[in-house]
Amino acid sequence: MLRQGKEMKTEISEKVLGRLTLYHSILTEYLDNGAETISSPQIAARLNIDDSQVRKDFKLLNNAGRCRVGYSVTGLKDSIEETLGFKKKKEAVIVGAGHLGLALAKYSGFNDYGLSILALFDNDPQKVDMTVNNKQIFHISRLPNLIHRLGIEMAILTVPPFCAQKTAEFLAQSEIKYIWNFTPAVLKVPADVKVWNENIIASFLQFAGQHLQKDD
């Protein structure tokens, strides 16, 4: 996965990306508590990983600081945000105003990572024109016009599995270029449309296989 900061361009694996987001959460907590510096052993202890791994990850960052005297919490947090593109604002819509779609619309944490949810879309007449967390639910038929008018390229897909493929095709035809797929469906889309699958059930099965079975 390619992430680009102001003065660096490097390849960051999904595992490193996952750790960097965890580092960011820890740094946010430290900042909220008034801490000015933090060490790599402190971070490593919180995540139960090796200190050398933390230092290795930090070498990917811009202006990460000096590990021997402690990292600046603010500086390190800014470096992660710059490297991962948190500060570059991204706009998206949610397609599917069911329980999951509504929950994502109510989640304010996206704003901390530069993601702004502008609206939701559904075909249920009882949901159309409702407002959730200051975001309006529009009929799905209005999506192409809004996408074109506002230049939105990202859609978060939370429709039922049986209509996921058809909806994905509709999104591609509407000039959506990135689909964050929360359905279990394996989507077929044009080559210029990128799909990121967020399979909650698969994640749970991995968790269960690695941890729950140890208790048997």
Side-chain angles (χ1 to χ4, degrees):
M1 183 174 293
L2 192 65
R3 302 291 173 189
Q4 185 173 344
K6 252 181 184 178
E7 299 177 353
M8 73 169 280
K9 185 176 183 181
T10 189
E11 194 76 18
I12 298 181
S13 70
E14 291 180 17
K15 288 185 177 180
V16 174
L17 177 61
R19 288 195 298 270
L20 289 176
T21 57
L22 292 175
Y23 301 157
H24 184 269
S25 296
I26 293 172
L27 292 166
T28 299
E29 177 187 322
Y30 268 65
L31 195 61
D32 290 342
N33 290 330
E36 296 183 357
T37 60
I38 191 171
S39 67
S40 53
Q42 285 176 300
I43 296 176
R46 287 288 299 274
L47 298 176
N48 196 29
I49 61 177
D50 193 85
D51 175 29
S52 62
Q53 181 64 69
V54 177
R55 295 196 306 271
K56 181 180 179 181
D57 292 340
F58 286 172
K59 288 182 179 179
L60 299 173
L61 305 176
N62 289 328
N63 303 316
R66 294 177 294 170
C67 61
R68 292 183 180 178
V69 296
Y71 298 95
S72 162
V73 174
T74 300
L76 189 55
K77 180 173 176 288
D78 286 346
S79 292
I80 292 176
E81 291 176 353
E82 181 181 355
T83 301
L84 300 186
F86 289 179
K87 295 187 176 182
K88 182 179 180 181
K89 296 300 181 182
K90 298 165 281 290
E91 296 178 334
V93 296
I94 295 175
V95 181
H99 293 301
L100 179 55
L102 294 177
L104 292 175
K106 295 176 182 177
Y107 179 58
S108 60
F110 285 135
N111 294 325
D112 297 334
Y113 299 94
L115 177 60
S116 177
I117 307 297
L118 299 186
L120 296 87
F121 292 88
D122 205 285
N123 62 359
D124 186 344
Q126 295 185 352
K127 296 178 180 178
V128 172
D129 293 331
M130 288 177 55
T131 299
V132 181
N133 195 20
N134 297 319
K135 302 170 180 63
Q136 187 171 350
I137 302 177
F138 295 96
H139 192 274
I140 189 67
S141 61
R142 298 186 59 183
L143 184 142
N145 178 266
L146 184 64
I147 292 300
H148 179 74
R149 182 161 54 87
L150 299 181
I152 299 170
E153 296 185 325
M154 182 187 303
I156 301 173
L157 188 61
T158 58
V159 299
F162 68 87
C163 62
Q165 178 59 41
K166 184 176 180 180
T167 306
E169 294 170 2
F170 177 67
L171 293 176
Q173 294 168 3
S174 303
E175 301 181 0
I176 285 291
K177 297 302 180 184
Y178 304 93
I179 299 176
W180 192 0
N181 178 28
F182 277 81
T183 81
V186 179
L187 304 177
K188 295 181 180 180
V189 296
D192 63 337
V193 177
K194 306 302 180 184
V195 176
W196 179 266
N197 295 303
E198 196 70 49
N199 195 321
I200 297 175
I201 297 301
S203 296
F204 167 73
L205 292 175
Q206 291 179 9
F207 167 75
Q210 294 179 15
H211 299 284
L212 299 184
Q213 292 180 6
K214 294 179 181 179
D215 298 332
D216 295 342

